[in-house]
Structure formats: structure tokens, C-alpha cells
Amino acid sequence: MPSPFVGEQFTFRNPDGSEFQVRGWGNQFSAVFETTDGYTVVPDPDSGFYHFAALDTDSGDLVPSGETVAADARALALPPHLRAARSAVTARARTVREELGGEPRWQVRRRARLAQRGAADGPAGAPPPAATVGDYTGLVLLVEFPDVPATITRNDVDNFCNQVGFTGFGNNGSAYDYFLAVSDGKLRYRNRVAAYHRAEHPRAHYTDRAIPYGTRAQELIKEALDHLKASGFDFSVLSSDSGGFVHALSLFYAGDRVNNWSEGLWPHSWALATPYAASATRTFSDYQITDLGTRLTLRTFCHENGHMVCDFPDLYDYDSVLVGNGVGHYCLMCFGGSDTNPVQVDAYLKNAAGWTSRLTTLTPGTTTSIAAGSNDFLVHRRSATEYFIMENRRQAGRDTAVPDAGLAIWHVDETGDNSNEQMTPALHYELSLEQADNRFDLEHRANAGDSEDLHGGPAAPAFGSATAPNSNWWDGSASGLEIEEISAPGATMTVRTKATGPQWYGDLAVDMVFASHHSGNAWAALAGLGWRQVRAGNPDGVTNMLAVLTEARANGKKVSITADATSVYDAYLL
């Protein structure tokens, strides 16, 4: 399945039809599977039969041991819970992506947006310009096979996607309800659900394990699109990006999943190797495909549409397994909580999508309230790409399955990567949770979140330079964020920052300056301090101070300044 799985049980099949049960950890690119008694298995590339795994000491990869899963692993004295070296797993994941071909449009859009923000000369506090707000429409294709008819109706799928207050299959609302709720009413996402298309071949044609992974899935998608195009469907109703690429295409096929991992129609999401031109203005690239089974559930569907519609990244480790747990069950774009009532999207991604209802910049000596269940966030910035953003999470409603309640303090570095759990200045997550117990169980893969992660009195009433965890930036420098009191978890929490007056700093380099055409709106990035707004009693004072800082930046001179956590008040050339 496209979203990650952790210890989930699957039925695998050998070429002779024999079945056996496994538990799996991973995603569509990288995964490891064990028998139910803990012995790692891999397919033999020659026979297709599953064998108990052995470790190749040269490559560090898992290889067939020569003993099939029909043997007694204990009698063979095989080691349980065998794992490949990280380098081997990463290489294998890269191969899977290359075999699928193409690159999802959402990744292209996201990369371009990050480059734009990284090149900005100022401490951009607003979300990226391409906010995901308003009305969006995706397409859902339904396929049955000549030998596997549909058992879930088109009307059921339409209601699952679009019906307000949907409760079918135990879900808390429809996909429309989910995105409307987590966006604070800002995104209205609907899907056009096409009538069932009967595939041209029996199911076995598309699930043929001898055909490279993704090939037959994309063949089935093209076939269903051809059928829809021939019916006269108006593709212009579908939402697209600036290049005319439709944001979201989902295909549900009738019946259960019968393939093993990374074969045939194993559920996945990616981009078509060859984009499909549906009309003069609409082209398909990004897609997800999955089996209908016997029930529809929200988590995976919303996760994949989070990619395609909102350009959200995965917040778990793409390229390796059993390394780090990303942000665990604290966000839809990682493990996501419940299948039928997935948890909220985190504050970082909500803010990037333009879903923030209130964004308060923390300043010293203030007390600020923050409400749960609404997109009410606190922020403390170093730059456009590194900052802390905070939200109040409560175990109710959409967040019933969240592991803890309280103030979630997120450390954002938009240039980071949630495949990097090392927690070093060079290698760290894009989004990491400042876990109040200071164990960082998510990075160490101890769990996917627990009851001691979030801040709030009396257990974790503060967050600053002297707490553990501390409020330093990733390079180890002080952020200036000093929260001295966080109230107990509740529907509304309060956050009180320490009152700190301006301090004198000498011999500082000026890394960057920024000013807009608005009178008095000027900023300076100072070595070891980050961005500070230039403040004075009048616009002329701001102009004069900016001139000093600009000269220092242009000529490599140092300055002495008076500054606090957010502003610089005096500047003198040295």
C-alpha cells in the first residue's frame, strides 16, 4: 500500500499457489518481511519462491538462503529478525523508483517552491504563494475484471469521496469532510467518480509477477482513461497545475490484493512513465492505485491525495526501514493514526498549504493562548526555512488517535529530509518533534509516539536554552526562544515567554540584509543570531541603521548591536 506499514500482516503467495502469513515494515520503495514467528524472508529471483533470508557479507543485502519458507527455521538454526545494511536498502529503494519511471509532478512543484524560498533574501513569514485553498476536483477511476466483478458500488465510492457526514465502513466522514476539517474550511476537495470500466483482460494479466512492477498498473490506468475519454468525459472540470497536469488521479480495482510486495498491482502511487494527454488542456501524470477489498478507509486515500493535491511530502524514511519513525502518528503524512479516522496534518504542512487561521510570532515577556482543533499556531523564526512552529493537539475529534495531548513544538528545517534521523547539524529531519521526554523515540524508532512527547504542565512546563530538549537551532546556536511556562493540556493552552531586554553584542558579521518598499520594513541576518527586524523610533532611524548594516555586509565589516530575540535596535560599524 502507498502509505507506510508497520508490523502489518499480509498473505504472500508462492508460484505454486501456496500461501503463508508475513508481517511487514516499510513502504512501496523499501520493505522487510518476516514470518509470524520472526524469520526474515525474501523471494528467490530464479524460482519466485520465498526463502528464509541470509545476509550477504559483501553487499550487506538480504539474499535467499536456499531454504524455502516451508522449512523449519528453528531447526535450521537461522537467525531471526535479519536486516540488510542501510546502504543496500537505500540502493534497492532507488532501483524500485527507477523501474517505476517518471517523477511525480507534486515533487517537481515542491522542489521548485523550496528553491524559490531558499533563494529569498528575507525572513519570509507567509506561506508559499501556491496555497492549496478553494475548490479542487480530482478523478477516481473504478475497474472490475472479467473474472473479478465489483462488490462495492460506484455510489459507495462517490459517498466515500464526497458525502458530507459519511459514516460508511466505520469512517469519520468522507475525504471531502477530512480536508475541509483539517484546512479550517479552506480546502473543498471533491472527486468525480467514473462508472466502472471492465478491464480488457482477466485479473491475472495485470498481476503477472514476471512483468516489471508498475507496468501493468499503468497499462490498466491508460486503458481506463481511454474508455473514459471515448465516453466524452469533460476533463476540463478537473483541477490542474500551471502546466495543465491534473493534480489527482486515483484508481480502485475490484477484489483483494493478490500480489506480493513490489509486484503486479501491489498498491502504490507514482507518476506515469509516459504522461497521458486527455485533452488539449489536461494531462495525467500523478496517480495512486489500490484494491477495493471489502471496505473503503480514509487514511491511505487522504495521505496520497495530500501528496497530489497539496504537494505534501512523506514525513517518514523513504529509503530505509527500521531506522527512524519520522513524525510517527502525529501527522497524516507519516503513519497517520487510525485507518477510518486519520489524525490531523501537522502545523508545518498546514501553514505551507495556506490553511493557517491565526499565526502568532512569539515575543519575549508575553502570554499567548492557543486553541486546539483549529489552525491556531505560534512561530519563532530564524529564516524562511528554519523555525519553530507550535500547535495545541488534543485527543478528540480528528485527533482521537494522536499519541499524546499538549503543545506540539515542531522544529522545521525545510532543507532537511525525514530520511535523516541522525539529529546532527548536517543530517536531520525536515520536520522533527521536540519530544518533551528528551528520548527522541521517533528518531530512534522506539515507537511512533507516546504519552510523554508533547509539552505542557506539570510534566513539561518549559522550553528554552536550558531545558532538555533545548531550543537551539540545528547548528547549535541559541535561538532566543525562551518559554518559561506552558499550561496543562486542554482545549485552550497558554504559553508564557520569558521577559528579556535587549542585549549588547559586539564583533558580529552581517550575513544578509533585506528591505521591502514598505517604510520601515527592514531585516538583517546576523552571524550566530539569525534574522532580526530593524527597529527604531521613526522610519529615518530604520533607514540609517539599515545603511550601516548594508555597508557592513557589502564590505565585510563587523558591527556591534543592541538586540533581543526578535529585533535589532542599534548598530555601529567597527
Side-chain angles (χ1 to χ4, degrees):
M1 51 196 58
S3 54
F5 45 91
V6 182
E8 190 164 340
Q9 189 156 319
F10 300 98
T11 299
F12 276 13
R13 296 165 180 83
N14 282 311
D16 63 357
S18 60
E19 297 182 349
F20 61 101
Q21 300 297 308
V22 297
R23 295 178 69 216
W25 294 261
N27 54 71
Q28 70 185 50
F29 302 114
S30 172
V32 63
F33 297 93
E34 296 179 350
T35 58
T36 53
D37 54 354
Y39 291 91
T40 308
V41 297
V42 294
D44 175 58
D46 296 324
S47 68
F49 280 80
Y50 268 79
H51 287 215
F52 291 112
L55 187 64
D56 184 277
T57 54
D58 293 328
S59 68
D61 207 354
L62 297 174
V63 295
S65 66
E67 299 289 348
T68 71
V69 293
D72 184 345
R74 287 189 178 87
L76 296 168
L78 295 172
H81 312 301
L82 205 57
R83 296 294 183 263
R86 182 169 188 166
S87 58
V89 176
T90 300
R92 197 177 335 126
R94 188 182 306 114
T95 298
V96 172
R97 287 199 299 273
E98 290 171 353
E99 289 176 349
L100 285 170
E103 181 184 19
R105 286 287 301 176
W106 71 262
Q107 290 186 353
V108 174
R109 292 189 298 265
R110 182 172 176 79
R111 189 168 58 247
R113 194 170 304 147
L114 178 60
Q116 196 174 39
R117 283 171 70 74
D121 287 333
T132 310
V133 297
D135 294 290
Y136 280 68
T137 303
L139 176 64
V140 173
L141 300 173
L142 302 177
V143 173
E144 61 180 355
F145 304 98
D147 55 339
V148 184
T151 57
I152 293 178
T153 69
R154 175 190 182 186
N155 189 59
D156 285 337
V157 179
D158 191 278
N159 289 342
F160 166 76
C161 291
N162 302 308
Q163 185 183 72
V164 174
F166 177 71
T167 58
F169 307 100
N171 287 285
N172 178 17
S174 62
Y176 171 86
D177 289 333
Y178 177 85
F179 283 105
L180 188 71
V182 301
S183 68
D184 256 7
K186 297 177 179 64
L187 173 61
R188 298 175 295 277
Y189 176 52
R190 298 176 176 86
N191 274 272
R192 292 294 183 97
V193 180
Y196 269 97
H197 164 66
R198 176 159 289 194
E200 295 175 4
H201 307 281
R203 180 172 65 181
H205 171 82
Y206 304 96
T207 59
D208 187 347
R209 66 173 62 189
I211 304 300
Y213 181 43
T215 302
R216 289 286 164 83
Q218 296 191 18
E219 176 186 327
L220 188 59
I221 290 169
K222 181 181 183 300
E223 185 185 307
L225 286 172
D226 284 343
H227 174 78
L228 189 62
K229 188 175 181 179
S231 73
F233 182 81
D234 180 10
F235 291 97
S236 68
V237 301
L238 305 177
S239 301
S240 64
D241 65 17
S242 59
F245 287 89
V246 174
H247 279 286
L249 169 63
S250 303
L251 187 148
F252 287 114
Y253 61 86
D256 293 322
R257 176 182 58 247
V258 296
N259 281 112
N260 302 329
W261 178 79
S262 200
E263 296 176 351
L265 294 182
W266 179 273
H268 66 276
S269 65
W270 199 240
L272 297 173
T274 302
Y276 182 96
S279 70
T281 62
R282 294 293 186 274
T283 300
F284 287 94
S285 173
D286 295 4
Y287 70 88
Q288 68 159 323
I289 182 169
T290 192
D291 58 290
L292 277 166
T294 58
R295 63 196 293 253
L296 294 161
T297 56
L298 283 173
R299 181 175 65 94
T300 296
F301 186 80
C302 291
H303 175 105
E304 297 308 331
N305 279 279
H307 289 316
M308 296 187 291
V309 178
C310 308
D311 300 346
F312 290 158
D314 281 315
L315 294 174
Y316 59 85
D317 194 330
Y318 258 165
D319 296 336
S320 195
V321 294
L322 302 182
V323 175
N325 274 339
V327 300
H329 284 299
Y330 287 100
C331 179
L332 172 73
M333 301 312 295
C334 193
F335 298 153
S338 164
D339 281 343
T340 54
N341 186 24
V343 300
Q344 299 253 1
V345 175
D346 61 78
Y348 162 50
L349 295 182
K350 284 184 177 182
N351 190 53
W355 298 347
T356 301
S357 294
R358 187 177 75 147
L359 183 66
T360 303
T361 298
L362 287 177
T363 56
T366 59
T367 299
T368 308
S369 64
I370 181 169
S374 63
N375 296 346
D376 182 6
F377 309 135
L378 310 176
V379 69
H380 177 80
R381 288 187 176 273
R382 180 184 201 180
S383 66
T385 55
E386 187 176 7
Y387 48 92
F388 292 101
I389 189 165
M390 289 149 265
E391 62 181 327
N392 181 358
R393 303 293 289 266
R394 193 176 183 214
Q395 293 167 312
R398 292 283 166 198
D399 260 354
T400 298
V402 81
D404 195 12
L407 188 72
I409 302 176
W410 298 103
H411 190 166
V412 177
D413 180 358
E414 296 183 17
T415 66
D417 189 323
N418 271 51
S419 288
N420 295 332
E421 80 294 338
Q422 293 88 342
M423 300 176 64
T424 67
L427 295 171
H428 51 260
Y429 284 165
E430 175 180 351
L431 180 69
S432 57
L433 180 66
E434 296 289 351
Q435 291 143 72
D437 56 18
N438 200 39
R439 293 195 302 260
F440 287 94
D441 290 335
L442 293 169
E443 283 79 356
H444 298 142
R445 204 180 178 88
N447 58 48
D450 61 39
S451 61
E452 298 178 320
D453 287 335
L454 303 189
H455 282 75
F463 180 69
S465 58
T467 61
N470 62 47
S471 63
N472 290 347
W473 299 122
W474 275 117
D475 64 7
S477 63
S479 72
L481 177 60
E482 297 290 345
I483 300 175
E484 62 181 5
E485 184 177 348
I486 305 169
S487 69
T492 300
M493 296 181 68
T494 57
V495 174
R496 190 177 78 217
T497 54
K498 185 177 180 180
T500 57
Q503 298 181 43
W504 180 258
Y505 299 89
D507 200 34
L508 292 181
V510 180
D511 294 332
M512 197 174 295
V513 292
F514 167 82
S516 73
H517 64 279
H518 300 292
S519 176
N521 184 31
W523 298 74
L526 299 151
L529 296 182
W531 285 100
R532 297 292 188 272
Q533 188 168 11
V534 179
R535 295 186 183 276
N538 56 70
D540 287 341
V542 171
T543 301
N544 294 338
M545 210 184 318
L546 181 63
V548 169
L549 295 164
T550 301
E551 182 180 345
R553 172 73 179 90
N555 298 307
K557 297 181 179 180
K558 298 291 186 69
V559 294
S560 291
I561 63 165
T562 303
D564 60 21
T566 61
S567 306
V568 56
Y569 300 97
D570 296 291
Y572 303 93
L573 275 175
L574 296 180

